[in-house]
Amino acid sequence: MSGKGAPERATIAATDLSVVVLAAEWHETISDGLIAGSVRALDAAGARYRVVRVPGSFELPVAAKTALDAGADAVVALGVIIRGGTPHFEYVSSAATDGLTRVALDTGKPVGFGVLTLDDEQQGLDRAGLPDSHEDKGFEAADAALRTALLLRDLRA
Ligand code: DLZ
């Protein structure tokens, strides 16, 4: 997937939303960039949030479910999974992706998807919202979570 075609978006106001940012501990530089991008989006919208580290991307779904069941309006799930020489990449990527999708559907609450599945570290540095990056996937994931939370509220009204 390329990042081309992403829409231009105006700033939103989400001062009454409470968000949990979950970030896997693997690949720290990229992961820190993703967290900073998410925080930029949440601060810009005025949302309340906390950032919680989880051991790895495999643990993101259960942490997301727990945070949403405990009352969060939305979760932003951040992870960095880099392909290695074994099939582990596919298992962790699928578990994170399928698990987070299931959590969103089971809870009826948004999960911003900021899990990068990469062939190498450079692809992550290019997408991590760092000074030399050309994409900011952490910001995009948080922005999508907030917009979806507001959209779902509107649909339920
Ligand atoms: C084991 C593992 C490996 C090999 N690679 C990654 C990775 O690139 N990114 C990531 O977020 N987590 C990785 N993990 C850890 C798993 O997600 C998980 O934490 C462990 O298998 C323990 O359940």
Side-chain angles (χ1 to χ4, degrees), residues 87-102:
H88 209 85
F89 173 85
E90 269 76 25
Y91 292 121
V92 174
S93 301
S94 300
T97 308
D98 297 348
L100 290 169
T101 304
R102 188 173 131 196

Side-chain angles (χ1 to χ4, degrees), residues 24-27 55-59 79-82 88 92:
E25 287 170 355
W26 284 65
H27 310 291
S57 295
F58 187 83
E59 284 72 36
V80 182
I81 310 171
I82 300 184
H88 209 85
V92 174

Side-chain angles (χ1 to χ4, degrees), residues 122-123 125-136 140:
Q122 188 58 49
Q123 290 182 340
L125 295 170
D126 289 343
R127 290 161 177 77
L130 298 167
D132 290 333
S133 304
H134 39 78
E135 292 183 76
D136 191 351
E140 287 178 26

